Amino acid sequence: LLLLCHAEEAAVIVSGLRNTDVFVGESATFTCEVSHPGVKNVQWWLDGTPLHNNLVTEISEQDGRIHTLTLNDVACHDSGTVTFRAGSLISSAKLLVKGISLPE
């Protein structure tokens, strides 16, 4: 048990979230890579609201190390701060959803 706790404590974020700009109706993908599998209590947030896996919000994990959030068909009101949390690990980035300006 001590070894397990120690290993979990040692996890670090290898590659954090990056700021992403997309247009209305597009998909925005955020990826966070941790140093080793088995991090606990993984949670994604958008402006302080917890996100859950559904049709518009895809949350996935690859090899237990690469955590991905895809927001489909984004709208202007989706702009904000996306946060990945796993235990004491935190990474955040900005999502900017740009409207399509119509020619006048």
Side-chain angles (χ1 to χ4, degrees):
L1 186 66
L2 282 175
L3 283 174
L4 182 66
C5 286
H6 183 70
E8 195 177 315
E9 291 293 318
V12 294
I13 290 176
V14 178
S15 172
L17 305 183
R18 294 203 169 88
N19 291 346
T20 302
D21 292 11
V22 293
F23 285 105
V24 168
E26 292 183 339
S27 295
T29 300
F30 294 86
T31 302
C32 190
E33 182 179 345
V34 294
S35 57
H36 53 256
V39 292
K40 301 278 189 279
N41 305 323
V42 171
Q43 178 70 67
W44 290 89
W45 307 76
L46 176 58
D47 273 349
T49 303
L51 298 173
H52 302 284
N53 222 351
N54 55 39
L55 287 173
V56 292
T57 307
E58 295 176 35
I59 297 170
S60 63
E61 180 184 303
Q62 189 182 337
D63 303 331
R65 294 178 52 234
I66 299 169
H67 298 268
T68 304
L69 167 70
T70 301
L71 300 171
N72 293 310
D73 195 20
V74 295
C76 287
H77 66 257
D78 291 319
S79 292
T81 302
V82 172
T83 304
F84 167 87
R85 291 190 70 155
S88 60
L89 303 179
I90 299 179
S91 180
S92 294
K94 296 276 187 208
L95 169 61
L96 176 62
V97 180
K98 298 180 281 197
I100 296 165
S101 55
L102 301 171
E104 292 182 13

